[in-house]
Amino acid sequence: MDIGEIGDRLAIEQVLVTYVDAVDRKEWDRLDDVFTPDAVIDYSSTGGPGAAGSYERMKPWLESHLAMFSRTQHLLGTTLMTIEGDRAGCRTAFTNPMGYPTNAAGDYDAAGETLTFFTCGGWYRDTCVRTEAGWRIEKKVIEDAFFLR
């Protein structure tokens, strides 16, 4: 691996990490620095209605569908990455515990909110492209592996 490829790998990894950080912080406009304007996102494997489409449509979809979760923590694992020129294919393992407030007995957090948690995991399959602004995600597909309740 030469220094250029190492730099590309680190830049792509930063884009992948920025995606999960923006989602967990619910800072939706930060996703503009992650995706290309014409990106395609497919969360169909999660079972949500309307869970695939253009970035323009999916950005507000994410905001509305994740609004109920007061706690999320997307944990990224290993990434298998193949870079060919200005394009890269990535497959990244993830685990994501998600908590939502309930009136039933559940986990109790420091803020005094009763939460119910579930955890999902799988892989993000991303196609990244080099742009004038740096590496961006052109296509994101979730492959779900499990749901734990």
Side-chain angles (χ1 to χ4, degrees):
M1 220 179 295
D2 66 21
I3 194 72
E5 183 177 349
I6 292 169
D8 286 339
R9 287 177 178 274
L10 289 172
I12 292 166
E13 181 180 286
Q14 189 63 36
V15 169
L16 303 177
V17 170
T18 300
Y19 165 77
V20 296
D21 187 63
V23 170
D24 287 339
R25 293 175 185 264
K26 296 180 173 30
E27 295 174 351
W28 309 112
D29 286 340
R30 286 180 60 208
L31 295 176
D32 295 344
D33 295 330
V34 170
F35 291 100
T36 62
D38 62 345
V40 174
I41 301 171
D42 186 347
Y43 300 138
S44 298
S45 71
T46 65
S54 68
Y55 171 62
E56 181 180 17
R57 191 177 76 68
M58 293 304 295
K59 181 179 170 186
W61 184 93
L62 264 176
E63 183 174 2
S64 67
H65 280 76
L66 294 181
M68 70 177 283
F69 298 104
S70 57
R71 303 285 187 272
T72 64
Q73 185 181 42
H74 290 74
L75 305 168
L76 297 182
T78 56
T79 298
L80 181 61
M81 189 182 305
T82 304
I83 302 172
E84 294 180 5
D86 292 338
R87 301 184 68 75
C90 304
R91 187 171 188 259
T92 305
F94 76 88
T95 304
N96 180 17
M98 302 176 80
Y100 57 95
T102 68
N103 293 327
D107 296 315
Y108 187 77
D109 75 352
E113 185 177 44
T114 301
L115 299 175
T116 298
F117 280 88
F118 72 90
T119 301
C120 59
W123 297 270
Y124 290 122
R125 286 189 300 125
D126 295 295
T127 302
C128 297
V129 294
R130 187 189 322 266
T131 71
E132 289 183 12
W135 285 93
R136 298 291 185 263
I137 299 171
E138 179 180 69
K139 183 176 184 183
K140 176 174 280 299
V141 178
I142 290 181
E143 285 180 37
D144 279 333
F146 66 87
F147 285 93
L148 301 174
R149 296 191 189 279

